Amino acid sequence: MLLAAVVLYFAAVHLAPAALRRAWPKEVAVAILFALGASLAAWNHLRSAADVVPILLFSCLCWINCVAIDQWERGESRGWLIGAAALCVGVAAVILLHQQRPVLSGAEAASALGFVLLDRERRRFTADALRVLADVVLLSPILFLPIAGSLA
């Protein structure tokens, strides 16, 4: 199913008329597909909403990543959009996951905070550095692996 969705995405990006390509939310599609692909190993272990929420929040973080990079590369900034969206995801991670998934809560909140800080300081970095740093922000779960390992 995921492969079919990726094929549809590539067809829409490369074969659809230009007007349609400009109108549809490419960043949302990329974010969802990437998050689903990155969480593929967890799909067989989904048992409750608490198992699905981290994937949904990660999808939101991936969307923020795509939109932020797009805005920064164009030299645009809606000022509040990236920071506000990231702040909402971070707060949601803490509220929705802290009790049942504290390590994931911390990892997603750390990524969200990273986007808030990166957007705030975006003028200090080149476009290439911002692109790399935006992807690095999504790697915050690596910092939480020692904690997760000690809980297992």
Side-chain angles (χ1 to χ4, degrees):
M1 287 184 356
L2 185 58
L3 178 61
V6 170
V7 169
L8 285 174
Y9 167 79
F10 277 111
V13 167
H14 298 291
L15 302 175
L20 180 63
R21 287 191 311 241
R22 283 190 300 272
W24 78 295
K26 179 175 66 172
E27 293 84 3
V28 172
V30 168
I32 291 170
L33 291 173
F34 182 80
L36 290 175
S39 63
L40 194 58
W43 289 12
N44 290 334
H45 305 286
L46 299 178
R47 304 285 183 254
S48 69
D51 297 332
V52 176
V53 170
I55 296 169
L56 294 175
L57 292 174
F58 183 64
S59 294
C60 293
L61 289 169
C62 292
W63 173 80
I64 292 167
N65 175 286
C66 293
V67 170
I69 290 171
D70 182 58
Q71 283 188 12
W72 297 333
E73 287 182 349
R74 288 189 205 183
E76 294 178 2
S77 179
R78 294 188 185 115
W80 56 271
L81 178 65
I82 302 302
L87 187 60
C88 288
V89 170
V91 169
V94 170
I95 292 171
L96 298 173
L97 298 175
H98 180 71
Q99 290 293 328
Q100 295 173 314
R101 304 286 185 272
V103 174
L104 289 174
S105 172
E108 291 192 339
S111 287
L113 178 61
F115 279 117
V116 170
L117 296 173
L118 190 55
D119 188 57
R120 183 176 173 183
E121 299 297 324
R122 68 186 173 279
R123 290 176 192 86
R124 298 179 62 197
F125 301 102
T126 65
D128 287 338
L130 281 169
R131 187 180 309 116
V132 170
L133 291 170
D135 290 343
V136 167
V137 165
L138 290 178
L139 295 175
S140 70
I142 290 172
L143 302 173
F144 291 81
L145 286 176
I147 299 168
S150 68
L151 295 176

